[in-house]
Amino acid sequence: VSEKPFAAAAAQNQQAILSVLGAELSAGDHVLELGSGTGQHVCFFAQHLPEVFWQPTELPSRLDGIRMWLADFDGDNVLPPLSLDVRDEVWPTLQAQVIYSANTFHIVSWQAIESVFAGCSSSLTGSGKLCVYGPFKIDGRFTTQSNAQFDQMLRAQDPLSGVRDSAELNALALSHGFRPARMIPMPANNFVAIWQLA
Ligand SMILES: C[S@@+](CC[C@H](N)C(=O)[O-])C[C@H]1O[C@@H](n2cnc3c(N)ncnc32)[C@H](O)[C@@H]1O
């Protein structure tokens, strides 16, 4: 990466996501982020929630971009980014109160999502939470026509991707010791799904 990366979508949704995450977090909490993308989100959240510690992770090819965002970040509550493919069997040993990810569940395969829930079981503390932002089907139904079209477009590009269903995710979550998700409606027909360990 030679230029600092920028994602317009992340700039648009960060304020709304911050208001949800802020209500879920307490001073001293550690957050493990999956698929951090450019690193914009983690810098924005860390700036606004300075008493929370943030651990960005990404595929190796995106780590340099995150490092560029961190080089410009004026704070000491973001840890250097770690390489993590969510399909990895071994996850960082950091014990987090919250694991957070935005706009990844419709990109990665269902098998990778299974790996996320398995990884969360090992990396979350006792009553930890997994907070996932993005588009979801609710109980098997698209909430809007535009999300149905988005799903078709995703699957045309990669048959293993697609908008995930809350009921199917809840069944998976339950098998890893989580309660069914609270689905918090967000702008632009998205949700934050919050699964908490029972
Ligand atoms: C649509 S982007 C979202 C990035 C960022 N979370 C945001 O909201 O701006 C999806 C991200 O998932 C990452 N990703 C894809 N497959 C992954 C995997 N197997 N493990 C970890 N990250 C993955 C990609 O590198 C990409 O940055």
Side-chain angles (χ1 to χ4, degrees):
V1 182
S2 52
E3 274 183 31
K4 188 174 163 181
F6 177 77
Q12 278 160 15
N13 60 29
Q14 62 189 11
Q15 187 66 53
I17 298 174
L18 172 67
S19 64
V20 173
L21 288 183
E24 301 297 326
L25 288 162
S26 307
D29 279 353
H30 285 77
V31 181
L32 176 63
E33 183 183 24
L34 310 175
S36 295
T38 60
Q40 280 163 257
H41 270 171
V42 79
C43 290
F44 182 79
F45 301 144
Q47 181 193 346
H48 288 86
L49 298 170
E51 294 178 335
V52 173
F53 299 93
W54 302 82
Q55 174 64 73
T57 69
E58 249 297 348
L59 299 177
S61 62
R62 305 211 63 172
L63 295 178
D64 279 347
I66 299 171
R67 290 188 189 106
M68 287 185 206
W69 276 85
L70 283 184
D72 293 339
F73 175 69
D74 185 20
D76 57 5
N77 57 328
V78 184
L79 298 164
L82 294 176
S83 172
L84 177 62
D85 183 323
V86 295
R87 296 165 295 184
D88 289 347
E89 277 189 27
V90 179
W91 280 33
T93 51
L94 175 107
Q95 287 289 293
Q97 282 70 38
V98 167
I99 294 180
Y100 157 75
S101 197
N103 280 330
T104 48
F105 271 25
H106 62 277
I107 303 289
V108 302
S109 65
W110 181 257
Q111 197 184 9
I113 294 174
E114 289 175 334
S115 181
V116 167
F117 279 94
C120 286
S121 307
S122 67
S123 292
L124 279 175
T125 57
S127 57
K129 298 169 195 167
L130 169 62
C131 302
V132 180
Y133 169 87
F136 292 95
K137 287 192 274 184
I138 302 294
D139 294 333
R141 290 167 190 250
F142 290 105
T143 57
T144 62
Q145 189 58 29
S146 63
N147 274 2
Q149 286 165 353
F150 183 49
D151 177 68
Q152 277 183 354
M153 190 201 76
L154 288 166
R155 288 175 195 275
Q157 284 171 1
D158 177 355
L160 294 181
S161 68
V163 174
R164 308 300 171 189
D165 175 41
S166 65
E168 290 178 11
L169 288 165
N170 280 337
L172 175 62
L174 199 68
S175 72
H176 288 280
F178 290 88
R179 300 191 191 113
R182 281 183 282 140
M183 302 295 296
I184 301 179
M186 302 293 282
N189 309 312
N190 290 302
F191 290 88
V192 176
I194 303 178
W195 290 275
Q196 183 158 17
L197 284 171

